[in-house]
Amino acid sequence: MKNSQKGFIAPLLIAIIALLAIGGGVYVYENKKAEAPVVINNVKTPPVITPSSTSTPAPTPTPTPTPKPTPKLTPKPSPAPAPIPSGIKLGARPILGAPSLDVTFFATSSDPSPFDNFSIDYGDGSHDSLQQQCFALVAGAKSICQIRTEHKYTSLGTFTATLRGVKNGSSQIIDTIAIVVGNPLNVTKTVGESESSFLIQKINSDSVEGTWWPSTPVISENDPGVPRTLHIGDDVGLTCAGVSDKLLSIDYSGQTITFNKVFNHPAYGCPICLAGNTLIETPSGSFAVKDLQVGMSIWTTDKSGQRISGIITKTSKVPVPPTHQMVHLVLTGGLELFASPGHPTIDGRTVGDLVPGNPYDGASVVSTDRVSYSEGATYDILPSGETGFYWANGVLLGSTLYH
């Protein structure tokens, strides 16, 4: 039995070795065949080499640099237009008072202004556009130009009114003025300033020395006034204007004083008008100003200075104290009249501002003496028309009633 098994194993091993030899030959042959060039029409084609499963990594791309932004050129701003000189000053009357406070704003120049028009900001949120009005004092003479407007302040506070000139669409500030609205008001002043018509000149520990103008709220540089010393409780207010202005306190170390100002309804008005016997020229002849009535005809002027006929639209009679003084105005050519120092002229001044040698209404001022006034009232009238001017004793004047 054992001999038969050995006879069987030997042939089996030989068969296995043969199969392995044949398989290895086939494997070698196939590999050689794949590497051998293919001959097509006697042309050898290079063998196809199958790439390995491990691929060569792709090259990392070089990042493209971010371009720097081109800087934007900021255009240079256009230079602001040069200020236009005008010489115009903004005035107001009154500059303080109780609400509701009616304020008249005005400005005057001796030449037409270089601006196209004007605007005024009243400081309380309101504003207006304005045009200048130019007129000749006499026909053919140099023109006087005015800006005039009115505004009512109804709220308490301090308001800065600003006048602007407009030229080619651009505006510039010409002048400003402060308006104080309140009742009562505590007003602090120092040496060199005025309160009502009292000019403060020296502050002592228990008194204040100065100059007082008792008869008019308009202080003229040619009116010397009267010396006065104030103590706590003294009143420099003008009764005619309904103003009480009492000295409240003195700060000697700080050199300031405080007034308590209270506004009441005036019993009359401050005398800035004409003597009652002043003759007013009308188409029907000359009549005393105290005898004129609303509706009567009167000579006045237009903006060009031409004499025209108008109608009296208002009259006034203002009581005066025994201390009231008038200006005795004398012009060349024998013209003269008696007027309160604060009466308006036709060129933005007052009668009290005139001095000898001044030209006025085609003549020259000879004298401006202050004289006592014995009548109990002064008078004024308002003509219709654009100017409010009229002739008094042959002298062309403005009206205190013109607004």
Side-chain angles (χ1 to χ4, degrees):
M1 181 69 181
K2 292 181 181 178
N3 289 334
S4 62
Q5 289 176 343
K6 291 179 181 178
F8 173 76
I9 292 172
L12 178 61
L13 291 173
I14 293 171
I16 292 171
I17 293 170
L19 288 172
L20 290 174
I22 293 170
V26 172
Y27 174 79
V28 172
Y29 173 79
E30 289 296 330
N31 282 343
K32 291 291 184 179
K33 182 180 179 181
E35 293 176 1
V38 179
V39 178
I40 302 175
N41 297 330
N42 295 324
V43 179
K44 292 183 178 180
T45 302
V48 178
I49 301 175
T50 303
S52 172
S53 60
T54 304
S55 59
T56 302
T60 303
T62 303
T64 304
T66 303
K68 295 182 179 179
T70 304
K72 295 182 179 180
L73 298 178
T74 303
K76 294 182 178 179
S78 302
I84 301 173
S86 66
I88 299 174
K89 300 294 291 183
L90 178 62
R93 190 178 293 124
I95 60 172
L96 50 84
S100 295
L101 181 65
D102 291 309
V103 179
T104 299
F105 293 91
F106 51 87
T108 304
S109 65
S110 57
D111 295 296
S113 81
F115 298 102
D116 299 328
N117 50 64
F118 299 85
S119 67
I120 185 169
D121 183 338
Y122 298 110
D124 63 350
S126 302
H127 55 85
D128 279 323
S129 296
L130 306 173
Q131 292 286 343
Q132 64 178 348
Q133 297 181 349
C134 299
F135 49 86
L137 300 181
V138 294
K142 192 175 183 179
S143 294
I144 294 292
C145 297
Q146 291 184 338
I147 304 164
R148 197 178 185 97
T149 185
E150 291 185 339
H151 184 66
K152 183 187 292 290
Y153 289 91
T154 59
S155 301
L156 301 176
T158 300
F159 306 94
T160 300
T162 303
L163 179 67
R164 289 180 171 85
V166 181
K167 180 71 173 180
N168 296 328
S170 297
S171 68
Q172 73 175 56
I173 295 176
I174 296 175
D175 201 10
T176 62
I177 192 168
I179 306 299
V180 181
V181 185
N183 195 23
L185 293 171
N186 285 344
V187 182
T188 300
K189 301 285 186 176
T190 190
V191 172
E193 297 180 331
S194 295
E195 177 58 23
S196 291
S197 58
F198 179 75
L199 174 63
I200 304 161
Q201 295 171 314
K202 185 178 181 181
I203 298 176
N204 303 311
S205 60
D206 61 351
S207 65
V208 180
E209 300 175 27
T211 302
W212 187 44
W213 286 261
S215 59
T216 173
V218 181
I219 300 176
S220 169
E221 61 181 13
N222 302 310
D223 187 344
V226 295
R228 183 172 177 182
T229 299
L230 302 182
H231 297 87
I232 299 296
D234 285 349
D235 196 333
V236 294
L238 294 166
T239 304
C240 62
V243 179
S244 170
D245 215 345
K246 292 184 179 180
L247 181 60
L248 185 65
S249 63
I250 299 174
D251 181 357
Y252 178 68
S253 61
Q255 285 292 287
T256 60
I257 58 177
T258 301
F259 291 88
N260 181 251
K261 184 184 289 287
V262 179
F263 300 92
N264 302 297
H265 184 72
Y268 41 97
C270 293
I272 52 175
C273 308
L274 302 172
N277 59 0
T278 304
L279 296 178
I280 307 300
E281 296 181 15
T282 78
S284 303
S286 295
F287 297 91
V289 64
K290 63 183 179 182
D291 296 328
L292 296 177
Q293 302 293 326
V294 171
M296 295 177 64
S297 62
I298 187 174
W299 288 119
T300 182
T301 70
D302 59 17
K303 291 181 181 179
S304 66
Q306 296 293 328
R307 186 183 182 104
I308 60 173
S309 177
I311 299 296
I312 296 175
T313 60
K314 291 182 182 180
T315 64
S316 71
K317 176 182 178 181
V318 179
V320 297
T323 58
H324 184 61
Q325 289 189 326
M326 302 285 271
V327 175
H328 180 201
L329 175 65
V330 179
L331 304 179
T332 54
L335 300 175
E336 62 178 317
L337 61 80
F338 293 86
S340 297
H343 194 95
T345 63
I346 57 176
D347 56 6
R349 294 179 290 175
T350 65
V351 171
D353 292 330
L354 300 176
V355 295
N358 283 168
Y360 186 75
D361 190 24
S364 293
V365 176
V366 175
S367 62
T368 55
D369 298 326
R370 303 300 175 100
V371 298
S372 298
Y373 183 62
S374 58
E375 297 185 36
T378 58
Y379 301 81
D380 203 5
I381 48 93
L382 176 64
S384 60
E386 302 170 310
T387 63
F389 296 164
Y390 59 85
W391 279 269
N393 285 1
V395 179
L396 189 60
L397 292 176
S399 172
T400 62
L401 304 176
Y402 177 75
H403 295 294

